[in-house]
Amino acid sequence: MTTSDHTPSYVEKGKGFDRDMTYVPDRITAGARTPEHGPVNGELWPVEPGRYRLVAARACPWANRAIIVRELLGLQDVISIGLPGPTHDQRSWTFDLDEGGVDPVLGIHFLKDAYEKRFPGYPRGITVPTIVDERTGEIVTNDFPWITHDFFHEWKEHHAPDAPDLWPADLREEMDAVNKRVFTEVNNGVYRCGFAGSQEAYEDAYDRLFTALDWLEERLATRRYLMGSAITEADVRLFTTLVRFDAVYHGHFKCNRNKLTEMPNLWGYARDLFQTPGFGETVDFDQIKAHYYVVHSDINPTGIVPKGPDAAVWQTPHGRESLA
């Protein structure tokens, strides 16, 4: 089974969705040092401005996370970006948006070529985000949780002067717990609903998802952001699911107890982030809808892409300024 956006290419009947979390485990660190946090199960690469290219499709929530963090930290001139198109076949993400369908830096049409160049016959999914070494055209890593973590911790010398503290040291233990719950129950929870292979698996996933969303709705009643008064990576991780919720997950993935717009605190919070520089401008609703409704042909065999909802609602006042 191959994957192209961290999702299966088909629903396995009678089974629940089990995400494959095996990625190329290399890390990019300052001086290729051993990082303070996280696993070291692969090679260590040195931080080096102008050497690496982040390949990240706007359609994909996991890639959208990396795009946002790169923007927030001011790494645009340090790490280049390649933007695959929203639709693809079983082979790979492709650079359909570029002239001639070829990435102008890497010179490839299929992202899988960067994988195959380093690992001939690469057997796993071709996923985004992926970091590629521009010198060799070879993949460095596609281990998405650690890509953004290391953008903050390892590239600090190259951050913009006003870059936010996305990983506050005094909140790390609590934030790790929040991130874990957001990932397992929300980021991944919508996929467990959408790719459930049985009624029982779907209903279990549905109940878990909305239990977590209710917890978040309550948490955000008294604080502006997930960890308090300032934006952290926890907010980036939740936002990329919320911004896709009504356009895709509510209908396409059957997460339909209610819409995001019907949860006042989460809806205000999501608009607050959307209207913050670095968030909303990374979102392309047309690409998001095209990806899910066209690529997931097992769920939507007609390939029809819905016209709505109206994206203008994301610019309406959010009223969150007074929360600490």
Side-chain angles (χ1 to χ4, degrees), residues 141-154:
T141 182
N142 62 342
D143 198 351
F144 72 96
W146 296 105
I147 287 175
T148 53
H149 177 280
D150 292 343
F151 278 178
F152 177 76
H153 287 281
E154 305 298 334

Side-chain angles (χ1 to χ4, degrees), residues 51-127:
R51 178 173 179 177
Y52 303 105
R53 188 161 181 80
L54 171 66
V55 178
R58 295 189 188 277
C60 170
W62 319 100
N64 194 181
R65 177 196 301 186
I67 296 171
I68 292 170
V69 170
R70 175 178 172 270
E71 292 283 328
L72 293 176
L73 298 178
L75 294 173
Q76 299 94 322
D77 295 331
V78 180
I79 302 168
S80 72
I81 192 166
L83 299 170
T87 60
H88 51 75
D89 58 23
Q90 287 290 333
R91 290 172 291 180
S92 176
W93 290 91
T94 54
F95 295 95
D96 301 324
L97 305 178
D98 292 305
E99 184 176 354
V102 173
D103 180 89
V105 172
L106 302 176
I108 56 176
H109 176 62
F110 293 103
L111 177 56
K112 74 182 181 77
D113 292 344
Y115 286 67
E116 294 281 350
K117 193 166 185 181
R118 184 176 174 195
F119 303 110
Y122 184 75
R124 312 197 75 85
I126 309 302
T127 64

Side-chain angles (χ1 to χ4, degrees), residues 248-286:
V248 175
Y249 304 140
H250 180 269
H252 185 58
F253 278 178
K254 306 179 186 69
C255 303
N256 63 351
R257 190 194 74 178
N258 53 259
K259 298 177 182 177
L260 175 66
T261 55
E262 295 165 345
M263 303 188 79
N265 297 327
L266 276 166
W267 175 225
Y269 162 82
R271 279 177 291 158
D272 190 1
L273 292 175
F274 187 91
Q275 295 166 31
T276 298
F279 284 85
E281 64 264 33
T282 73
V283 175
D284 188 314
F285 286 108
D286 289 338

